Amino acid sequence: MNFQVKLQAIIEEMEIQFEESRTFRSIKTGEIIVVTSDDLRAAEDEEPFDHLPDWEQEDKKIANDVVENFENYKELPTKNEVGIERS
């Protein structure tokens, strides 16, 4: 199943990337998501997160899905890899 993603949406996400994050596109939904490296490491280590606030639990669930279903995601390059500069 192919989803069209607007290039502008990808560029906007890449512009707001920070050093310790990775950006992915869901192959199933076309959604662009940003996941912190810390959340990905916690997902790989299967650290429990049910004691965290709701917003953090949602971030952890997304990271878990990326780790558990990596084949459903395409990692996007960083802004440094493509030379995006903030104006």
Side-chain angles (χ1 to χ4, degrees), residues 51-64:
H51 63 285
L52 298 172
D54 289 346
W55 67 270
E56 281 188 81
Q57 287 189 34
E58 187 60 33
D59 290 347
K60 302 288 186 190
K61 287 177 186 175
I62 293 169
N64 281 347

Side-chain angles (χ1 to χ4, degrees), residues 37-48:
S37 297
D38 286 343
D39 284 346
L40 288 171
R41 277 190 293 277
E44 289 170 352
D45 294 341
E46 299 179 5
E47 292 179 11

Side-chain angles (χ1 to χ4, degrees), residues 3-7 10 14 16 21-22 27 31 39 41 56 60 62-63 65 67 70-71 74-75 78-79 82 84:
F3 288 92
Q4 290 185 346
V5 179
K6 291 186 178 187
L7 182 57
I10 293 172
M14 292 175 79
I16 61 171
S21 68
R22 293 169 64 184
I27 293 171
E31 180 182 14
D39 284 346
R41 277 190 293 277
E56 281 188 81
K60 302 288 186 190
I62 293 169
D65 192 56
V67 168
F70 194 74
E71 68 279 359
K74 174 81 174 166
E75 186 166 7
T78 68
K79 62 184 172 189
V82 294
I84 293 178

